[in-house]
Amino acid sequence: MTQPLGGLKVLDFTTLLPGPLATRLLADAGAHVTKIERPGGEDMRRFPPFKGGEPVLYTMLNHGKTVIELDLKDPGAAEQIAPLLDTADILVEQFRPGVMDRLGFGYETLSKKYPALIYCSISGYGQSGPRSQEAGHDLNYQALTGLLAQSYGSAAHASMPPAQIADIGGGSFPAVMNILLAVVERQKTGRGCHLDIAMADAMFTFGLFPYAQHLAGGPIDEAGTGLLTGGSPRYRIYFAADNAPVAVAALEQKFWDRFCDLIELPSSLRNDLKTPDETAARIAGTLSARPSAEWRAVFQAGDCCVTVVEPLSEALSDPHFAGRGLFPATDHPAVASPIARRFRTP
């Protein structure tokens, strides 16, 4: 089958995670990606882990791309890049705002010669605004947008996010989404555009529930007190007798009732809004009385949105995920791609 992005050419000026993952996903759907790296290669080449001397993360993000090492500050760089720009459909860059302009590859400059070029800029805070030149990483973007406040309590109960939410959810995914929208628009108009993707912006999307509270004019649940951040006994992490975490997410009443029946929670504690701390304490005590293997069997049969937390090594061998083709057998480290299988590179 012809891949949906087959024939499209992408010029990739990105490093580390957000941009390289975005262009890897475009490549998964058939686009040809040429990646420009500084002499000696980009920083991710030196990030652990390594296997056989090769950087695993770098390979996951950049396999299948054509990589060219080039000093963009060299006076001859423009001449070397010109043939690539002549045929490029999409350009993705991840420098601080203004850097590509100073190098002579800014959107205003290139769009005059290449009006159909789709130009995507990924940055922490966007191409404009008081923070546009401010350095940052995933944790900083979450901290400044109210998202981290949902999970970070006192020093004794600090909780670090388990995923690169801003890098991937605020950078890679919105970049791919908007590039595809721009491709559709270009099919109608023949013109490209400049996409300004700010990783911090999407953090407000991830904080949808507290933002709704704000819009409603009520108090905002912070620091692990919200319905989905640990404030409710029916949506919380507990621990079994062997210290394995158990994720209880029995939000709907039918699941909550089923869960309460399975653990034989006293009727006086089933109204979790009345005495949430007492209810949570009883649940914690009950779950801690039996090992996770026993609870796994109970909750799988009970179908009540309660799951024993699996370490990654176990999750990778789960027949469900293996059966869905998330981890294809390849001679290189593969990304568990969200691109639908019908569209992916074989």
Side-chain angles (χ1 to χ4, degrees), residues 62-83:
N62 297 290
H63 178 78
K65 302 176 185 179
T66 299
V67 178
I68 298 174
E69 293 187 15
L70 181 64
D71 183 356
L72 295 177
K73 296 179 181 179
D74 189 293
E79 184 177 349
Q80 296 182 64
I81 290 178

Side-chain angles (χ1 to χ4, degrees), residues 10-214:
V10 180
L11 197 51
D12 180 356
F13 289 87
T14 67
T15 64
L16 298 175
L17 173 56
L21 178 57
T23 56
R24 169 63 197 268
L25 297 180
L26 296 176
D28 280 350
H32 180 272
V33 179
T34 300
K35 189 166 188 286
I36 307 299
E37 298 186 9
R38 68 172 185 247
E42 65 134 307
D43 288 342
M44 191 63 89
R45 288 180 180 268
R46 290 167 280 281
F47 270 49
F50 298 91
K51 183 177 182 180
E54 295 298 317
V56 175
L57 278 169
Y58 175 84
T59 304
M60 291 172 67
L61 295 170
N62 297 290
H63 178 78
K65 302 176 185 179
T66 299
V67 178
I68 298 174
E69 293 187 15
L70 181 64
D71 183 356
L72 295 177
K73 296 179 181 179
D74 189 293
E79 184 177 349
Q80 296 182 64
I81 290 178
L84 298 172
L85 285 169
D86 287 342
T87 59
D89 297 284
I90 301 159
L91 184 152
V92 186
E93 63 93 5
Q94 196 181 302
F95 294 105
R96 287 202 204 189
V99 171
M100 286 291 274
D101 291 312
R102 293 194 293 273
L103 292 170
F105 304 111
Y107 175 71
E108 294 301 326
T109 298
L110 296 185
S111 63
K112 292 175 183 177
K113 185 175 182 181
Y114 308 106
L117 181 66
I118 295 169
Y119 191 109
C120 179
S121 297
I122 304 173
S123 63
Y125 298 104
Q127 299 300 297
S128 62
R131 293 191 184 274
S132 63
Q133 294 297 320
E134 189 172 313
H137 282 300
D138 203 298
L139 202 62
N140 306 118
Y141 308 139
Q142 293 188 50
L144 276 173
T145 55
L147 187 62
L148 198 61
Q150 296 300 303
S151 61
Y152 191 97
S154 65
H157 297 92
S159 176
M160 293 290 287
Q164 286 65 55
I165 300 174
D167 285 348
I168 298 174
S172 306
F173 288 174
V176 171
M177 180 192 310
N178 285 280
I179 286 170
L180 297 181
L181 291 173
V183 169
V184 173
E185 182 183 60
R186 191 177 70 173
Q187 291 172 343
K188 298 177 180 179
T189 67
R191 296 195 60 83
C193 62
H194 187 194
L195 303 172
D196 178 6
I197 306 299
M199 288 180 268
D201 287 358
M203 297 305 93
F204 290 104
T205 311
F206 279 91
L208 194 63
F209 278 77
Y211 184 54
Q213 290 178 317
H214 166 72

